[in-house]
Amino acid sequence: MFNFLIRKDIRKILKRKDSDAGERGRALEDLRASIFNELRSSEGARRQQQRLCGPAAALTFNFVVAVGIIFMNKLVLKNVGFHFPILLTFIHYLVSWILMAILNAFSILPASPSKPTRSSTLFALGFVMSLSTGLANVSLKYNSVGFYQMSKIAVTPSIVLAEFILYKTKVSVSKVLALAVVSIGVAVATVTDLQFHLFGACVALAWIIPSAVNKILWSSLQQQENWTALALMWKTTPVTLFFLVTLIPWLDPPGVLSFDWNLMNTSAIFMSAFLGFLLQWSGALALGATSAVSHVVLGQFKTCVILLGNYYIFGSNPGTTSICGAFTAIAGMTVYTYLNLKVQSTKALSRQASLLPKSKLGKENSSVLDGTYAIPSPGGAPSVDVLRGLDIVSPWIEHCTYEF
């Protein structure tokens, strides 16, 4: 057996296997290093986010999580009897921060952009996040789900107005009409479920402006300043936690220490907190991939899907008026989505046209554009200019370059 192993050909085979295993190991190490290097730069992390989570994936992810957390939060606030919506929001963000700290400890959390963002902007985002999420849960406690979704209608014109004031962003007339159809359809669809409390209605009214500013800041910081969703969450969550602590004595009732923290209740609260982390992450991904208005339209689409799902799957009958309103809203969302896709395709074509002069063909023809054309001489000798002063050739070549 020993003589067999020390044979020359056997030693070559074993050495080759060791070499192959070493190459595979080095390849895996290089792959892992490249992934970590990609995450450690904000530009690379941003490219990874855009590659792995495009607009359709981000909106679908946010839609599924948002539907789940609405019912989970309603379960916690009503059935479990946890009547502390601001504290629930605080637990959500605390769990999110702990999960991101774990990612950061393993160097998986994406890096911040190399170009620094003003601290006041990050502070403002953390502040409006605390108001937006906290007041939303207070509104959900005192009002029905239908009224909660109804109050979101006012967020759409608020975002359009705020984006015009802050960034001079204009919305076409066709988009305004599509958004009006969506808002009217959602209003008609939810008119049969408008149970609300006076205090809850005031909270819903106070929630509109922070919610609009929150969505605008999330979208603009990711699209204009190269932030990723997780990196921006990591920077702003401590500010949000601080302001949520200050809101607890004002908006939460007393008696949190007397709550029955048994296994079932605690599990439901922490399940809601985990969904809260996924909602924050998916919402940030959707806002970074689309726009603030598109994210609100997604929320209204979610309302209509919940209403129609209850009707077709569970046999509930909200009334013909509500069903017609839901279909009207979905028709308006379809038109709005089509208009957005049309604008995006136009921008993509213009971007490709602007890049065409820098293409390889344009570089090859650059000498002709100058009035000369170089043909390499045989034998590797330096090229010689055989066409000089042919001005009539230049416009034709330039036209061909753009057409390709």
Side-chain angles (χ1 to χ4, degrees), residues 354-372:
S354 66
L355 293 175
L356 279 176
K358 301 179 182 178
S359 64
K360 185 176 180 181
L361 183 60
K363 291 180 180 178
E364 291 175 353
N365 293 326
S366 60
S367 59
V368 179
L369 296 178
D370 294 335
T372 63

Side-chain angles (χ1 to χ4, degrees), residues 76-261:
V76 171
L77 294 171
K78 294 290 184 182
N79 295 11
V80 175
F82 192 78
H83 305 299
F84 312 99
I86 302 297
L87 179 59
L88 179 63
T89 308
F90 177 83
I91 295 173
H92 284 189
Y93 279 97
L94 182 62
V95 170
S96 299
W97 186 84
I98 292 173
L99 291 174
M100 287 185 290
I102 295 173
L103 294 178
N104 188 45
F106 286 96
S107 300
I108 301 177
L109 196 71
S112 302
S114 55
K115 183 180 179 181
T117 303
R118 290 186 301 176
S119 300
S120 58
T121 303
L122 297 176
F123 184 84
L125 178 57
F127 174 66
V128 296
M129 279 171 60
S130 63
L131 290 179
S132 175
T133 314
L135 294 178
N137 281 340
V138 174
S139 174
L140 195 60
K141 173 188 174 183
Y142 288 99
N143 305 316
S144 63
V145 175
F147 185 84
Y148 170 75
Q149 298 291 345
M150 185 88 163
S151 62
K152 288 186 175 182
I153 296 175
V155 177
T156 305
S158 301
I159 290 175
V160 173
L161 180 61
E163 286 188 333
F164 176 75
I165 294 173
L166 296 175
Y167 304 106
K168 305 300 180 184
T169 303
K170 296 181 180 180
V171 182
S172 62
V173 177
S174 54
K175 282 189 177 182
V176 170
L177 293 175
L179 292 173
V181 171
V182 172
S183 300
I184 293 171
V186 173
V188 173
T190 57
V191 73
T192 57
D193 186 24
L194 294 184
Q195 305 171 11
F196 67 94
H197 189 275
L198 179 60
F199 177 72
C202 295
V203 169
L205 187 64
W207 165 80
I208 293 171
I209 299 300
S211 177
V213 175
N214 180 44
K215 294 178 186 299
I216 291 171
L217 287 177
W218 271 104
S219 182
S220 63
L221 284 175
Q222 290 186 82
Q223 295 182 8
Q224 298 177 12
E225 300 196 21
N226 215 30
W227 281 90
T228 59
L230 284 175
L232 196 53
M233 287 166 60
W234 175 247
K235 288 291 184 180
T236 55
T237 298
V239 180
T240 304
L241 289 172
F242 171 78
F243 281 105
L244 285 173
V245 170
T246 62
L247 289 175
I248 288 175
W250 296 93
L251 295 176
D252 272 356
V256 64
L257 297 178
S258 60
F259 178 74
D260 185 14
W261 292 91

Side-chain angles (χ1 to χ4, degrees), residues 276-295:
F277 166 71
L278 294 181
L279 179 67
Q280 186 186 3
W281 185 24
S282 62
L285 290 172
L287 286 167
T290 56
S291 66
V293 177
S294 299
H295 190 253

Side-chain angles (χ1 to χ4, degrees), residues 307-345:
L307 188 146
L308 294 175
N310 286 334
Y311 174 70
Y312 285 106
I313 298 174
F314 300 106
S316 65
N317 187 13
T320 306
T321 303
S322 296
I323 294 174
C324 292
F327 278 114
T328 302
I330 291 176
M333 294 169 199
T334 304
V335 174
Y336 177 79
T337 304
Y338 167 75
L339 294 173
N340 268 346
L341 293 175
K342 188 177 180 181
V343 171
Q344 290 176 3
S345 63

Side-chain angles (χ1 to χ4, degrees), residues 31-50:
L31 178 61
R32 185 165 57 181
S34 65
I35 293 174
F36 274 105
N37 290 333
E38 191 82 358
L39 290 175
R40 296 317 298 170
S41 66
S42 60
E43 293 80 7
R46 178 71 178 156
R47 287 194 298 269
Q48 286 285 347
Q49 177 176 300
Q50 291 174 340

